[in-house]
Structure formats: C-alpha cells, structure tokens
Amino acid sequence: MPNPDRSRRSSPRSGGKGRRTSSDPARIAAYRTLRAITADDAYANLALAEQTTGLSSRDAAFATELVAGTCRALGLYDAIIASAAGRPLRSLQPAVVDLLRLGTHQLLELRVPSHAAVAATVELAREVLSQRVTGVVNAILRKVAALDADGWAGRLRSENADAEALLARHPQWIIDAYADLLPAEELPAALAANNEPPVPHLVIRPGLAEVTELGGRPLRWSPFGVEASGNPAELPPVAEGRAGVQDEGSQLVAWALARVEAPGGPWLDLCAGPGGKAALLAGLARDKGERLLASELQPHRAALVARALAAYPEPTPLVIAADGTRPAWPENSFARVLLDAPCTGLGALRRRPEARWRRKPADLDTLVPLQHELLASAIRAAAPGGVIAYATCSPHRRETSEIVEAASGVEVLDASAVLPDIPDAARGPYLQLWPHRHGTDAMFLALLRKIR
C-alpha cells in the first residue's frame, strides 16, 4: 500500500461538481466515491471506477484502499467517531461524517502518520466543503488519533453492546446468519475472509478464447478461468469480449447446470443481468448444440447482457427485457433453466464491502417472496425432466434452503455430487461455497429436476 502522506498542495483548484485539478486527487476521488455510496446508494465499484479514471496507478490504488477499507469498517468507524465527538452522528453534516470516516481509516488502519492523516483530511474538508467545517473535522480527528486501534477496541467494549460485531466489521444480523450455518470454530475465519479484497478471477467465453490466453494461474476447480492481477481490460480476450471478469463461484454454478443430465432443448437464464453467467452458459450451450435465451427485467441491465454476449457468432444467444414472474415464453419450454435470484448479496461482501451496512434484515421480507415467485416461474418454464439451477450469492437460510424446500413439482438433485472435486461444499443436497474455504463468493446452488 503506497504511503500517501506527501500531499501535493500547490496545484490549482476549480469549483463546482465536475472533475477538478486537486492537490490530492486520490483523497478527492475517495471522498466523492464515498459520498455517492452513502448519499445516492451507488455501488462502490462503479462509483470508484468513475472517479479514478485518469488518475495515476498510485493514486488510483490509494483511493481504492480508502474507499474499500472505509466501507468494510463503516459501522465501526461510525461508533468511534460518535464516541470521539461525544455526540450522535446525526448532529453532523453527512458530508462531514464521510470525511471523518476517511480520516479515521487512515489513522487506525493505514501507514499514514497521525499528523499527516489529520492535516490531509482537514485540507480535504476545506477543498470539498468549506473553511467553516475544518475546525470540527480537526477536533474530532485529533480525539480519534488519541487512541490506536487496540485502544479503541477496548473503549468500545466498555461503551457499546455491539462492540464485538463492529470490531469484526459486520452487523450482528449477518454474523448470526453465518453462525446459523457454520461451525463455531469457523466463524471468525469466515468473517475475516469477508474483510480481505479478492484476487480478480477471469473467465473465457467457451469457443471464443482459450484459458492460456489469459495468463495468470488456473483456478482450482473451474476449467474456464484464472486468477490474475493487474488491469483485466488490458488483456486482448477481455477487450475483445471473448473473456470477462467473473468469480470462480459463479463460474461453477453455470458449469454445474451444464454438467447435470438433462434432455435436449434450449436453455434459459431467467435473471441474466449483468451477463456474466449468461456469457459462460451461452458457450456451454453451443457446445451441446443448443441456444440460450437470456432474460432480464431492467432494460439497461439487459443491454449489459447483450454486450457480454456480443462476441458470439450467429446464431447469437437471444436477449430480451422481460419480467421473470410474468414470462414471455410458453411453459415447459426449456431443458435447462438458471435462476440466479435477486438476493441480499451476503456472500459477496469481499467485492461489495458497502453492502453489509446497506442491507437490513427487513430486506429479506421483500426479497424472499420474490425468490419464491421466481423459482415457481423457473419450474414452469422447464420442460418435463428438465433441470433448474436455483442460485444465490447469499448463504442466508431464508434465501436458500427454505426457498427450495417450499418448491413443488420438482425433485432435488445432489448438487455437490455434480462437482465432486470441491471439498467441504456439501450442504445437505445443496452446494455451498465459502470465501474462507474455497476462495470464492459464498454461492449457494440447488439443482432441481422437474417431475415428468
């Protein structure tokens, strides 16, 4: 991690919300990204990509660490800031809170000297807000700097009933969901794995590229991808649409559906956006002489799916914008159906660190009925004897096994037996991956056969 305390304060500034020439472009980019996340519910990866365009590799790396690290520990930092300030965060301007979060991360987690972290954040406050707020930012951060990370851990344990959860950088309800499924001795490792940024995984489009073109180290179980550092967009297969970025867990879900015995006929990806699994499935379907239909509710996400599939030659996979609960196809039409259901995303907290504080238990009350409805629609879409893959990027019991157990008209297949080389992945008849065990997102997979 580069040491960023050499602030460049002699460059000119410009006003307004557009990109400006700044004395500290990395911190400016991190602040703007965090504001987009907390104020506008932006996705961290998308907002960060927008803000770091044009930065040097050093500045982009520091901005990325600032944003990702702050998002992972947001709840913890909020408790520390409130304790240091001696007042609730709601009494502070939201933009000031974001500045304090970034400053706290530098003070407690990064190799930035305390005086430099405080001074740089005060200067950032002056630049992005006004001189008026610099006093409060300076005062609170100096109180944060009075203790190190261990000191704050001890203080929070004496002040805050949720201290242990906050120190693990997870809300308690997420910890409870993990503890419901994992042995007690594994829980700390599972939570710690969510706090480590993942190594990017790349995947080929079968028939369009070879794994050897990607460089990197072959993945452990998926034959379609590699681990690779650096900028994936600079690789010709990725730039040409013949390969993409996709976690190995997602690759394995698509591969399992392709491997299980099923009748001939077209394939369906019911909730295909943004297109990663559809792009892999399309090539696997072509290998079997079949064609894929990819459906996505939101037109802009359907456009992303079409872009992911664009490199395939004629006959190209079909992409439509349609509501999966009100299908645009007849029943009993597809030999294989993938339902990667909308979910809380509790299995992808490494890649989306902001989600752990954005999601709430009440979100399940909205998502679970939709998951039931979509699975019923997927079963209706399958031909008799056809196979449905129900997948979520969440291990939560309400979004996974309870959804499958309520389904009718299907028999449950042994999903872990379809990919027998993956150790410690069986969750009853289902496949459950974990970051700390497998180095993947915590993907859940159930394979179901429609009763003839």
Side-chain angles (χ1 to χ4, degrees), residues 371-447:
Q371 291 158 357
H372 281 293
E373 194 172 359
L374 285 168
L375 181 54
S377 179
I379 294 170
R380 290 193 298 270
V387 176
I388 303 98
Y390 175 79
T392 65
C393 194
S394 168
H396 199 293
R397 198 178 294 274
R398 287 185 63 189
E399 301 186 274
T400 56
S401 56
E402 291 184 8
I403 299 293
V404 177
E405 289 160 5
S408 59
V410 292
E411 61 174 332
V412 179
L413 307 178
D414 188 347
S416 63
V418 177
L419 299 173
D421 295 334
I422 306 176
D424 300 319
R427 178 177 155 190
Y430 313 124
L431 182 81
Q432 179 67 68
L433 302 173
W434 294 99
H436 69 290
R437 289 183 187 175
H438 306 108
T440 69
D441 290 345
M443 295 294 301
F444 169 89
L445 172 66
L447 292 174

Side-chain angles (χ1 to χ4, degrees), residues 227-297:
E227 276 187 1
S229 56
N231 183 1
E234 295 176 355
L235 293 172
V238 176
E240 295 162 6
R242 298 184 293 114
V245 179
Q246 186 179 45
D247 181 75
E248 185 178 18
S250 295
Q251 298 179 39
L252 293 171
V253 164
W255 192 34
L257 177 58
R259 290 187 69 171
V260 71
E261 183 181 346
W267 299 14
L268 171 66
D269 188 345
L270 188 62
C271 297
K277 294 183 185 68
L280 180 52
L281 278 177
L284 296 175
R286 290 173 69 90
D287 287 346
K288 295 180 180 291
E290 306 294 356
R291 197 174 183 189
L292 175 74
L293 171 64
S295 175
E296 169 57 42
L297 175 62

